[in-house]
Amino acid sequence: MPETRAAPATIVHYRIEPKDPHAHLFETSCTVDAPDPEGQRFRLPTWVPGSYLIREFARHFVAVRAHGPAGAVAIVKDAKDTWRAAPCAGPLTVVATVYAFDLSVRAAYLDALRAYFNGAAVFLCPEGLQHARCELAIAAPSGTIGHGWRVATTLPVTAVDAAGYGRYHAADYDELIDHPVEIADCATAAFAAGGVVHDIAVSGRQRGDLARLARDLAVVCQWQVELFGGSPAARPPFDRYLFQIAVVGDGYGGLEHRASTSLVCSRDDLPRPDEKGISEGYRKLLGLASHEYFHSWNVKRIKPAAFVPYDLTREAYTRQLWAFEGLTSYYDDLALRRSGIIDARSYLELLGRTITAVLRTPGRHRQSAAESSFDAWIKYYRQDENTPNAVVSYYAQGALIGLALDLTLRACGSSLDALMRALWQDYGQPGTGVPEDGIARLASNLAGRDLSAFFDRHVAGTEELPLAELLRGVGIELRLRAAGGGDDRGGTAAKESDALPRCWLGATIAGAQEPRLKHVFNGGPAERAGLAAGDVIVAVDGLRATASLLERLATSRGTGETISVHAFRRDELLTAAVVLEPAPLDTCWLEIDASADVPTRDRRLAWLGADPLPG
Ligand code: ZN
């Protein structure tokens, strides 16, 4: 960003209005009192913090015009994300019409049922004024749409009406775009954690038990506040917090912000009013909320040096996303266990699934967690048919690095909890970025011995993590088996009724009636036979192919058998002779060792927070 020229009193005025909900159009404006005499430039971010993909928000700016005291002012684009107004006297106002129909939490959305926006997708930043104070007026939609809507945001209030329409402010542009705004007829709930009010605002049709959600989230949030604060009296680093939840038929996602998070979840993931235990969907939703809340510290305040400050004009490269996303992924489910929301067996099931996901990614032998972080912009966020062969997830692999680091530190008398607190004290509270070698150095200090070999091998390198050995040290046995079918994500032992898979094709299948190879694994039987991702399998040994027929090959045929496959690649028919190979043992489950000795059991207790039941 260019040097600032904002005097302390300079204020940039913004306004937003849900202008035409049926056409999904917001109108936004930005007013600068004293525009640059050379011609004021305005810029829109190309990405939103927390989501490492160049999104080109400017592509949804459908019309931009400007006016000053003397009338219309010429404004032209001089790059994909910048506009330049002709030199003029102030105040200069730029008005933009912005198309908003993105149901993810990363941009903006508007229809007759709800309005939602991230500032990065709708507010222009006047160049040179990114540090100036911002004022935002949020206007109600005109006409009959929006009856019953209320504004839900953590943006600081200047003066608003009962529905929340009116004036808000932010210290600078960075803060302006870090408080997403939901405007809808939301169902609400609230709870306290760390002495601070936490609100929940849920849009979309649903009949979930929000009081239950509030009770459970209170426990998880309190645990996290204490983790970072180091005491039951600790307070979180914000005065209030908001969970914005958009409920849809089928969806999942979240984005973290400094005092709020935007989540998308499936309707069935909300707890039912009569729900006693925790359904798999509800556990997933709690894990997602826990993940985004953990980011309030880890990435929103403890930041990689490359994000201090954010450069939203281009990719911000860091090799540390494995820590900012991966350690957050490690703690999201662990916080559910350690706070007592789920039991140890449920937690070990989730951990077994994470291990399974990584074991099914041969790309981990090619790409390190550090490289995956660096190339997030062009690889993890832009997945294709070859991704499992070439890429490792810095979320899942980062979570396993977190597990291995935690158990390593615990063996040295410290823990990852202590490392997170040290990161918070050394980097988060002072607001300085974590240097690229910062975590390795801190970990070595806490361990009282040099851990750089761990980071060289498992973070910068692709060496397998010694998970079985580390878990044995806390009385947990890591078991492996072949996958029981396409929907087997691991985490549990094979059901006795399942016939044991003997062989595999070396590919994943999509589509039930017209099965298609989704991913073809390097060096596997399908690839060796010349089949490729995207091939539509029409017959196997002369019989019409379905997904279930292909799945049954694993148990009905044996290693070394050759099958004849007919497939279409685009519109050309091919035949291939596929020699089946032994099914890989890529499905993990974790068992508690009931016979572990007392010191081992005590270490398990210290890690998992309570002595798990055997079995
Ligand atoms: Zn995350």
Side-chain angles (χ1 to χ4, degrees), residues 154-482:
T154 46
L155 203 59
V157 168
T158 306
V160 298
D161 66 16
Y165 296 112
R167 287 158 52 219
Y168 294 82
H169 61 269
D172 54 21
Y173 184 79
D174 180 59
E175 185 186 1
L176 175 74
I177 65 168
D178 202 18
H179 296 280
V181 176
E182 172 85 34
I183 314 174
D185 184 4
C186 288
T188 60
F191 62 89
V196 164
V197 173
H198 292 58
D199 287 300
I200 303 172
V202 183
S203 67
R205 286 184 207 181
Q206 53 81 28
R207 291 169 39 173
D209 182 351
L210 299 189
R212 160 91 188 268
L213 178 64
R215 275 199 309 280
D216 289 343
L217 283 180
V219 173
V220 177
C221 294
Q222 180 66 35
W223 184 86
Q224 293 193 17
V225 171
E226 290 180 28
L227 171 77
F228 283 98
S231 99
R235 289 181 74 88
F238 36 74
D239 297 329
R240 54 180 288 227
Y241 192 87
L242 171 65
F243 289 92
Q244 294 167 333
I245 306 178
V247 174
V248 296
D250 184 21
Y252 174 83
L255 190 62
E256 67 276 10
H257 299 280
R258 67 184 64 189
S260 60
T261 179
S262 299
L263 311 177
V264 174
C265 78
S266 300
R267 190 166 295 118
D268 292 342
D269 291 348
L270 286 167
R272 288 187 313 274
D274 57 350
E275 192 169 314
K276 293 283 182 286
I278 292 187
S279 70
E280 187 158 340
Y282 183 41
R283 184 176 67 175
K284 187 170 80 168
L285 172 60
L286 288 173
L288 175 65
S290 172
H291 179 99
E292 305 304 342
Y293 194 73
F294 197 87
H295 273 316
S296 306
W297 291 268
N298 196 35
V299 95
K300 291 315 301 185
R301 290 174 175 86
I302 306 164
K303 296 181 183 186
F307 292 177
V308 183
Y310 292 116
D311 179 354
L312 299 178
T313 68
R314 55 188 286 277
E315 295 86 347
Y317 295 107
T318 172
R319 289 182 170 78
Q320 297 192 85
L321 290 182
W322 69 268
F324 291 94
E325 287 301 344
L327 298 184
T328 302
S329 296
Y330 173 57
Y331 272 105
D332 56 23
D333 293 334
L334 188 61
L336 302 186
R337 167 60 215 130
R338 299 263 296 273
S339 65
I341 291 290
I342 61 172
D343 63 22
R345 205 174 305 172
S346 179
Y347 173 67
L348 292 175
E349 179 184 16
L350 292 168
L351 187 56
R353 285 186 182 176
T354 305
I355 296 171
T356 301
V358 171
L359 288 176
R360 292 179 184 173
T361 308
R364 73 186 187 283
H365 300 302
R366 285 203 167 130
Q367 190 192 44
S368 70
E371 289 165 339
S372 178
S373 303
F374 190 87
D375 270 340
W377 307 87
I378 57 165
K379 293 194 174 178
Y380 188 76
Y381 264 98
R382 291 171 69 175
Q383 300 195 7
D384 61 25
E385 70 286 349
N386 196 44
T387 293
N389 288 320
V391 173
V392 69
S393 161
Y394 51 80
Y395 285 85
Q397 179 70 340
L400 298 187
I401 292 169
L403 168 67
L405 189 56
D406 195 6
L407 297 180
T408 300
L409 287 168
R410 283 171 186 275
C412 300
S414 186
S415 68
L416 196 60
D417 297 355
L419 178 68
M420 296 316 300
R421 271 193 291 278
L423 283 167
W424 171 234
Q425 283 157 15
D426 292 2
Y427 298 104
Q429 286 180 318
T432 52
V434 182
E436 294 286 300
D437 64 345
I439 293 174
R441 277 195 287 115
L442 262 184
S444 295
N445 288 347
L446 287 169
R449 66 183 177 88
D450 184 10
L451 291 184
S452 57
F454 175 95
F455 288 87
D456 290 346
R457 287 178 189 151
H458 308 300
V459 177
T462 57
E463 204 173 300
E464 295 275 28
L465 291 160
L467 292 180
E469 183 191 327
L470 287 166
L471 285 164
R472 195 165 299 129
V474 290
I476 307 278
E477 289 297 318
L478 189 156
R479 311 272 189 213
L480 294 172
R481 59 178 173 81

Side-chain angles (χ1 to χ4, degrees), residues 586-606:
D586 60 4
T587 305
C588 165
W589 84 102
L590 302 171
E591 273 182 355
I592 292 162
D593 178 4
S595 65
D597 59 20
V598 173
T600 304
R601 222 196 62 193
D602 287 348
R603 287 194 293 276
R604 188 166 69 208
L605 192 76

